[in-house]
Amino acid sequence: MQPTQFIWLNGSFVPWQEAKIHVLAHALHYGTGVFEGIRTYATAKGPAVFQLEKHLERFLYGASCLRMQVPYTKERLAEAVVATIRKNDIKECYVRPIMFYGYGELRVNPAGCPVDVAIAVWPWGAYLGEAAITAKVSKVIRIHPHSSATDAKITGHYVNSMLAGLDAVDAGYGEAIQLDYEGNIAEGTGENFFMVKNGVVATPPLGTILAGITRTSVITLARDLGYTVEERPLSLAEVLKADECFFTGTATEIAGIGKIDDTEFKDAPGPVTKRLTDAFKTIVKAENEKYMHWLTLVNK
Ligand code: PMP
């Protein structure tokens, strides 16, 4: 990780090295936090934050799932994100807001714990590398939708993701694909999953998966480009016969999958994946007027 100068912590800027919490903070013990991953792109119009409002809506939704009394409005949080990017004088970065139950009491019930909020920014390149990804279908299934609010980005959920990811890496693959409790494809450990067959784009429905902002953006973009997009359960057998598969995510962006278990997808990323990637790039670079409302310009 490449540190920047300042982290926004509970309303003020503190030097990166001093943004610390107590070891008895509730979230450290019980995973009771929510977070976001947001990308800021360098554009001809200056730094531009991709889908800031949608990310903050998901952030606040997650906080409501954990029954947090949030000390800030969405507008205030948006200002804080922009201020943190400006304060660090950074042109292109990953933005990590986090909100969690802090130090107070240590019962599982968080009553008596403050809600702490932090925002950090730092440079982060291609998350899964530039080459086509190899993915292993993990034995560790995605958490059951009745076990938690699976569509929220809750810190504790990532134990499940980490275990699946480590399994895949141990077996020599780049990333894991998790199945849902019914055995259908759910998602990657930090990405949503898409497949293309005969020009039709398909992706698992909401329910078990994280409601990815890139997922929604890519669905909109694909439909705008004339593709049919289906949100429906995808079996592994169907996916292995697909023409193309790809992941979407803030860190990952759009990334072609070259292999799932022993099945290879030759010449990945395929033509539809490439077309979506090219269109996505022009949008995040503020080169497509039609989608400018997806961007928040830092220097207004
Ligand atoms: N699924 C999981 C489990 C994730 O952690 C992420 C990353 N936030 C995604 C999907 C993709 O979501 P987004 O496009 O909002 O980054």
Side-chain angles (χ1 to χ4, degrees):
M1 178 178 291
Q2 199 180 319
T4 52
Q5 273 189 290
F6 297 102
I7 291 180
W8 188 94
L9 182 59
N10 294 326
S12 15
F13 288 110
V14 296
W16 177 282
Q17 302 296 352
E18 287 166 31
K20 292 181 181 160
I21 60 162
H22 198 278
V23 290
L24 296 180
H26 194 272
L28 182 63
H29 297 253
Y30 307 124
T32 51
V34 288
F35 68 105
E36 274 306 319
I38 311 174
R39 263 196 196 271
T40 299
Y41 292 88
T43 79
K45 298 182 167 84
V49 190
F50 184 65
Q51 298 278 31
L52 177 58
E53 194 168 338
K54 291 274 180 296
H55 280 284
L56 294 178
E57 278 165 10
R58 186 173 65 187
F59 193 43
L60 292 172
Y61 164 69
S64 74
C65 294
L66 297 181
R67 315 226 199 139
M68 288 173 167
Q69 300 288 327
V70 182
Y72 306 102
T73 61
K74 185 174 73 179
E75 290 69 31
R76 176 74 186 97
L77 290 169
E79 281 166 21
V81 166
V82 168
T84 310
I85 297 164
R86 281 206 194 124
K87 179 90 176 165
N88 285 291
D89 194 19
I90 190 164
K91 292 186 175 46
E92 193 149 46
C93 60
Y94 181 83
V95 182
R96 169 59 58 90
I98 183 162
M99 170 153 47
F100 55 95
Y101 284 114
Y103 170 70
E105 299 290 339
L106 259 186
R107 286 186 289 271
V108 172
N109 183 328
C113 296
V115 173
D116 289 322
V117 188
I119 302 167
V121 302
W122 68 89
W124 202 350
Y127 182 67
L128 292 173
E130 301 287 349
I133 295 157
T134 58
K136 178 180 187 292
V137 177
S138 179
K139 285 192 288 295
V140 181
I141 67 162
R142 171 82 180 156
I143 39 174
H144 193 289
H146 293 179
S147 297
S148 186
T150 36
D151 54 348
K153 206 165 162 62
I154 292 173
T155 58
H157 291 176
Y158 284 81
V159 172
N160 172 258
S161 313
M162 185 192 79
L163 293 176
L166 289 178
D167 247 10
V169 170
D170 286 350
Y173 289 80
E175 175 58 309
I177 291 175
Q178 290 190 278
L179 303 177
D180 67 16
Y181 65 101
E182 289 178 309
N184 291 313
I185 302 288
E187 59 186 332
T189 67
E191 309 83 26
N192 291 113
F193 179 88
F194 283 76
M195 62 164 253
V196 183
K197 182 74 181 181
N198 299 328
V200 174
V201 179
T203 191
L206 297 182
T208 312
I209 60 174
L210 183 77
I213 312 284
T214 322
R215 173 185 179 278
T216 313
S217 306
V218 166
I219 290 173
T220 303
L221 176 61
R223 286 188 178 141
D224 288 354
L225 290 174
Y227 295 103
T228 299
V229 182
E230 299 171 346
E231 292 178 71
R232 61 174 175 84
L234 302 178
S235 72
L236 176 59
E238 179 179 8
V239 161
L240 294 180
K241 289 195 213 102
D243 299 328
E244 302 175 33
C245 295
F246 62 88
F247 282 130
T248 65
T250 296
T252 309
E253 300 173 293
I254 301 173
I257 301 175
K259 189 176 171 197
I260 299 177
D261 289 344
D262 295 328
T263 303
E264 300 212 8
F265 297 89
K266 295 230 171 347
D267 305 320
V272 178
T273 311
K274 269 197 204 134
R275 188 160 170 224
L276 290 169
T277 306
D278 290 346
F280 185 80
K281 278 189 185 150
T282 64
I283 292 171
V284 299
K285 287 282 178 191
E287 288 161 7
N288 188 334
E289 278 306 316
K290 184 174 170 190
Y291 300 92
M292 277 306 287
H293 62 287
W294 286 3
L295 300 175
T296 300
L297 298 178
V298 169
N299 304 325
K300 260 183 272 175

